[in-house]
Amino acid sequence: MKLSKLLLLSILCVTVFSCSSDDDDNDSAVSAVGIWKLTAINLETPFDLNMDGTASTNFMAETDCYQNETILFNADGTGSFNYTSYAEIGIELNMDTNEDPIYTVECIDEIEFDTFNWVQNGNQITNPDDNDPDSSLTISGSQIILLLPGGFYASSPDDDSSVEVTSDITYIYTKQ
């Protein structure tokens, strides 16, 4: 008898950013002011979520979700995140064999805006109202990079074995 378990993946991303332009600290720093589009969500472990036979660490490429997410940084030190979709991902594992899991991905459309305050110091963007050092962003050329340690979390809600997977996740935004 095949023993299958359905795992539900979810990405927990608490991203409170704060940034403002301060070119006095670093003349070569790129100003955060403007619109930045999410272009990659990278995981430590490659997955073949779209079941095309090729595993990738780029979560966006595997799901076709998150294609229009943006961050807006205003010159007055305010900003907003624009969320347009999220992925609901299921995994069917066969506990009797070593076969690869079967993934199902559903992109859920949403329109959500989260506002924040920001301060820029050189290539670092932080939220002056947030004491969490993990919520800082780094500007590297035309990209903003956010690393969230343990930001990718998967678990089996009904699994007696309490399977859990945690991975660092890196969000990459490109200036538009």
Side-chain angles (χ1 to χ4, degrees):
M1 175 180 177
K2 288 186 178 181
L3 179 61
S4 298
K5 300 290 180 177
L6 181 62
L7 298 179
L8 183 61
L9 290 181
S10 64
I11 296 179
L12 302 175
C13 175
V14 177
T15 53
V16 179
F17 305 102
S18 53
C19 312
S20 80
S21 180
D22 185 1
D23 292 334
D24 295 338
D25 293 312
N26 184 350
D27 290 336
S28 64
V30 173
S31 173
V33 173
I35 297 174
W36 300 74
K37 184 175 180 181
L38 183 63
T39 53
I41 302 173
N42 295 326
L43 304 173
E44 291 176 294
T45 305
F47 292 94
D48 185 14
L49 299 176
N50 60 7
M51 304 301 294
D52 67 355
T54 304
S56 172
T57 58
N58 187 337
F59 190 77
M60 283 178 66
E62 288 294 321
T63 66
D64 288 331
C65 299
Y66 311 99
Q67 300 300 314
N68 294 302
E69 315 293 299
T70 58
I71 304 175
L72 169 64
F73 293 99
N74 297 309
D76 66 358
T78 63
S80 64
F81 288 100
N82 175 21
Y83 303 105
T84 60
S85 67
Y86 63 92
E88 283 190 1
I89 301 169
I91 304 174
E92 187 176 326
L93 297 175
N94 186 328
M95 303 305 271
D96 293 336
T97 68
N98 289 331
E99 293 177 20
D100 290 336
I102 298 172
Y103 297 99
T104 57
V105 178
E106 182 179 357
C107 289
I108 308 297
D109 291 334
E110 73 173 347
I111 301 296
E112 184 177 330
F113 296 94
D114 288 334
T115 60
F116 57 91
N117 296 310
W118 62 275
V119 174
Q120 182 173 349
N121 184 5
N123 69 342
Q124 295 296 303
I125 303 169
T126 58
N127 181 337
D129 304 321
D130 184 8
N131 294 324
D132 182 1
D134 292 335
S135 68
S136 69
L137 303 164
T138 302
I139 298 178
S140 178
S142 64
Q143 295 183 327
I144 289 180
I145 300 166
L146 169 65
L147 171 64
L148 291 176
F152 179 83
Y153 176 77
S155 68
S156 172
D158 298 324
D159 187 1
D160 294 336
S161 64
S162 298
V163 175
E164 294 183 350
V165 175
T166 303
S167 176
D168 291 350
I169 188 166
T170 304
Y171 293 85
I172 300 174
Y173 292 84
T174 304
K175 192 154 193 176
Q176 300 300 289

